[in-house]
Amino acid sequence: MTAAARGVPVDDRFDVDTRHVFIGDHSGQVTILKLEQENCNLITTFRGHTGGITALCWDPVQRVLFSGSSDHSIIMWDIGGRKGTAIELQGHNDKIQSLSYAHHTRQLISCGADGGIVVWNMEVERQETPEWLDSDSCQKCDQPFFWNFKQMWDSKTIGLRQHHCRKCGKAVCGKCSSKRSSIPLMGFEFEVRVCDSCFESITDEERAPTATFHDSKQNVTHVHFDATRVWLLTSGTDRIIKLWDMTPVVS
């Protein structure tokens, strides 16, 4: 399904047993509807992406919804847990084009416009990313940020640019967040900015990858996983269909 206007559905999924419809649109919103015999009732809406929804995937067993976006990220929404848990997955350098799920091994397969095929291990216990905290000064060294004119005047210092640690969410200056680290259990398979204290606290075990990366050598627009044969079919903007034997990675 395609769309040209903001707010128009771009992808949807349907749960046959519960008759719930999951719809993603260009505004980044996900809508859940319940289909009755003659009616369609709105259950809820939620938003977590900064870009439009480009792909959805539903796991009816774990009752988990995956949404991919033009903001390069994937979010796992725990619908069945009813706790509002949302786990981010960051492993692409361009928009997510398609998602598929291997139910028997609990592995998510994502394809992006960057040509990457990423196989995510969803059996590991993942952590939610923290919300970014607001502050007028660095929450590590207390130096003012550049808009904090009063503290800049009082301390006779030049204001600094604000950054955020991806592990603790604190607002920090560049000097206090000079390190980079991957945090796979938080979905960050690539290195991201962390404050110096969080960098020291991340163990080698916590840096161990939870996903494998593969180059499709095409701008993938659609993916289909055949669990029986353990084959992955991809098609791209180059109008080429490729068949992948996923036995070495989906097992």
Side-chain angles (χ1 to χ4, degrees):
M1 185 181 297
T2 60
R6 180 183 176 89
V8 176
V10 293
D11 201 3
D12 58 80
R13 289 294 179 268
F14 179 59
D15 187 308
V16 177
D17 293 332
T18 65
R19 299 189 62 79
H20 284 102
V21 182
F22 306 92
I23 302 171
D25 63 36
H26 274 298
S27 73
Q29 177 175 285
V30 177
T31 301
I32 302 181
L33 304 173
K34 177 65 178 293
L35 298 185
E36 306 292 352
Q37 289 185 346
E38 298 181 356
N39 298 312
C40 180
N41 298 317
L42 174 65
I43 301 301
T44 189
T45 61
F46 46 88
R47 188 189 304 269
H49 291 286
T50 57
I53 304 295
T54 53
L56 290 176
C57 184
W58 170 244
D59 175 12
V61 178
Q62 301 295 325
R63 297 188 59 76
V64 168
L65 180 71
F66 298 94
S67 61
S69 171
S70 58
D71 65 8
H72 310 177
S73 74
I74 302 164
I75 297 181
M76 182 187 81
W77 307 91
D78 185 6
I79 305 297
R82 299 181 181 275
K83 295 181 179 179
T85 304
I87 303 295
E88 289 188 42
L89 303 174
Q90 303 275 357
H92 287 275
N93 293 311
D94 207 332
K95 69 178 179 178
I96 311 301
Q97 297 278 54
S98 189
L99 298 171
S100 188
Y101 192 67
H103 300 276
H104 64 297
T105 58
R106 293 193 64 186
Q107 289 173 288
L108 177 71
I109 303 169
S110 61
C111 297
D114 56 0
I117 299 175
V118 184
V119 181
W120 305 85
N121 178 4
M122 301 311 298
E123 281 194 316
V124 298
E125 187 175 345
R126 296 185 177 274
Q127 306 167 16
E128 283 190 280
T129 52
E131 291 188 15
W132 286 4
L133 303 177
D134 293 325
S135 179
D136 292 328
S137 58
C138 176
Q139 294 180 303
K140 292 295 183 178
C141 68
D142 201 38
Q143 288 295 302
F145 294 131
F146 64 83
W147 62 83
N148 189 350
F149 298 115
K150 184 179 186 305
Q151 187 176 346
M152 289 165 55
W153 176 264
D154 292 342
S155 60
K156 301 297 187 290
T157 57
I158 297 175
L160 305 176
R161 181 183 175 187
Q162 176 182 261
H163 301 280
H164 283 90
C165 172
R166 300 309 193 270
K167 190 173 191 298
C168 67
K170 289 184 177 180
V172 289
C173 67
K175 183 178 180 181
C176 293
S177 58
S178 59
K179 303 292 196 301
R180 300 290 187 278
S181 176
S182 60
I183 321 174
L185 293 180
M186 282 188 168
F188 297 115
E189 291 289 336
F190 303 146
E191 290 190 346
V192 290
R193 180 185 295 271
V194 293
C195 67
D196 293 353
S197 57
C198 281
F199 180 83
E200 297 298 330
S201 71
I202 301 173
T203 64
D204 290 340
E205 184 179 6
E206 290 177 312
R207 290 189 175 94
T210 62
T212 58
F213 296 82
H214 315 271
D215 186 5
S216 70
K217 300 187 185 303
Q218 66 177 161
N219 182 347
V220 178
T221 57
H222 181 74
V223 60
H224 173 74
F225 178 69
D226 185 332
T228 303
R229 298 180 177 87
V230 198
W231 287 352
L232 185 71
L233 183 147
T234 63
S235 59
T237 54
D238 54 7
R239 300 183 181 180
I240 295 176
I241 297 174
K242 296 184 179 182
L243 190 63
W244 307 80
D245 180 5
M246 300 298 288
T247 305
V249 292
V250 180
S251 58

